[in-house]
Amino acid sequence: AQSVAQPEDQVNVAEGNPLTVKCTYSVSGNPYLFWYVQYPNRGLQFLLKYITGDNLVKGSYGFEAEFNKSQTSFHLKKPSALVSDSALYFCAVRADQAGTALIFGKGTTLSVSS
Amino acid sequence: DTAVSQTPKYLVTQMGNDKSIKCEQNLGHDTMYWYKQDSKKFLKIMFSYNNKELIINETVPNRFSPKSPDKAHLNLHINSLELGDSAVYFCASSQDVGSGRETQYFGPGTRLLVL
């Protein structure tokens, strides 16, 4: 069975500092990994995904994520946080089959202070 | 242009009522989904349709019935609403073309409150 773990309920960083939101996964077969962001009372916005290729994936709004197969991790990073990055972040994994669902982590609230 | 749209955005109703939520995507995708987000923000799949065929039907009460009249629409009908059905329901779509590597795009959500 597939699963995703986001070990931190909340991450607090100061504006301008680098941020990391952690994610580990468990999946049989090739992992397809995704990060989504949810702003208050809004839908989920796609940030980036890892399918294959380079372990460092770049996405929207200056975010990037590093796939580490040996550690089964896919941590989300940004070199310099903005207050506007404050939101709820979800890591998700998906199996390689049409119609399969995203399996989400519980979410991590990112709070960036000015 | 809205890629994945849902109506209504908010739905407040009494226990025991029947209600429907509509979802439309204009992305030309072949697969559509319904997810439920509970009060703790947990997101879980309910159903998925690929080319109008039901692919996933998670352990969801029979009171929930999806209907896909065509590839661009996936509606969710809920009978005999219960207090525990209060949640945010998200529709999503993707162009799977036989694999799971494609991105799912989400609608804005329907916030259902059962009183």
Side-chain angles (χ1 to χ4, degrees):
Chain A
Q2 302 167 91
S3 65
V4 174
Q6 293 180 243
E8 302 151 320
D9 289 337
Q10 179 143 348
V11 170
N12 299 310
V13 298
E15 189 173 33
N17 283 359
L19 68 89
T20 298
V21 183
K22 295 180 181 178
C23 171
T24 59
Y25 66 90
S26 174
V27 64
S28 56
N30 294 324
Y32 295 150
L33 296 157
F34 301 79
W35 276 101
Y36 286 83
V37 59
Q38 184 177 25
Y39 296 97
N41 298 316
R42 303 284 292 277
L44 280 81
Q45 295 180 29
F46 168 71
L47 280 178
L48 51 80
K49 68 180 178 184
Y50 173 82
I51 302 300
T52 187
D54 288 342
N55 290 342
L56 186 64
V57 179
K58 293 189 183 296
S60 307
Y61 313 121
F63 283 94
E64 57 190 29
E66 186 166 13
F67 171 68
N68 188 316
K69 188 173 183 178
S70 62
Q71 296 185 5
T72 61
S73 66
F74 189 54
H75 300 331
L76 182 70
K77 300 181 180 185
K78 187 173 182 181
S80 178
L82 299 172
V83 172
S84 57
D85 292 330
S86 299
L88 181 59
Y89 290 80
F90 289 98
C91 182
V93 67
R94 193 179 178 202
D96 184 12
Q97 187 176 346
T100 56
L102 286 164
I103 305 301
F104 285 92
K106 65 180 180 180
T108 298
T109 298
L110 173 65
S111 179
V112 182
S113 56
S114 56
Chain B
D1 288 342
T2 303
V4 182
S5 60
Q6 295 178 228
T7 53
K9 191 172 183 179
Y10 299 97
L11 186 53
V12 181
T13 188
Q14 299 289 328
M15 264 196 322
N17 284 351
D18 302 339
K19 291 293 178 185
S20 291
I21 306 171
K22 296 185 176 182
C23 177
E24 177 180 4
Q25 54 94 3
N26 63 5
L27 298 167
H29 288 169
D30 62 356
T31 309
M32 296 185 71
Y33 313 78
W34 278 109
Y35 288 86
K36 179 180 179 180
Q37 184 175 44
D38 65 19
S39 59
K40 295 184 178 179
K41 304 295 186 184
F42 291 137
L43 279 155
K44 190 173 180 186
I45 185 70
M46 299 175 70
F47 303 101
S48 80
Y49 272 75
N50 179 249
N51 285 316
K52 293 178 56 183
E53 179 184 349
L54 182 64
I55 301 297
I56 295 175
N57 185 356
E58 286 293 308
T59 307
V60 175
N62 290 339
R63 299 181 294 102
F64 290 80
S65 55
K67 295 256 186 326
S68 182
D70 55 57
K71 283 172 55 173
H73 296 85
L74 181 62
N75 303 323
L76 183 65
H77 188 75
I78 316 171
N79 289 327
S80 304
L81 277 155
E82 300 178 357
L83 294 177
D85 297 332
S86 296
V88 182
Y89 293 85
F90 286 104
C91 179
S93 73
S94 61
Q95 181 63 10
D96 280 7
V97 198
S99 82
R101 62 177 54 202
E102 300 306 323
T103 301
Q104 294 184 17
Y105 293 94
F106 285 76
T110 295
R111 285 151 184 80
L112 171 65
L113 178 60
V114 182
L115 301 174

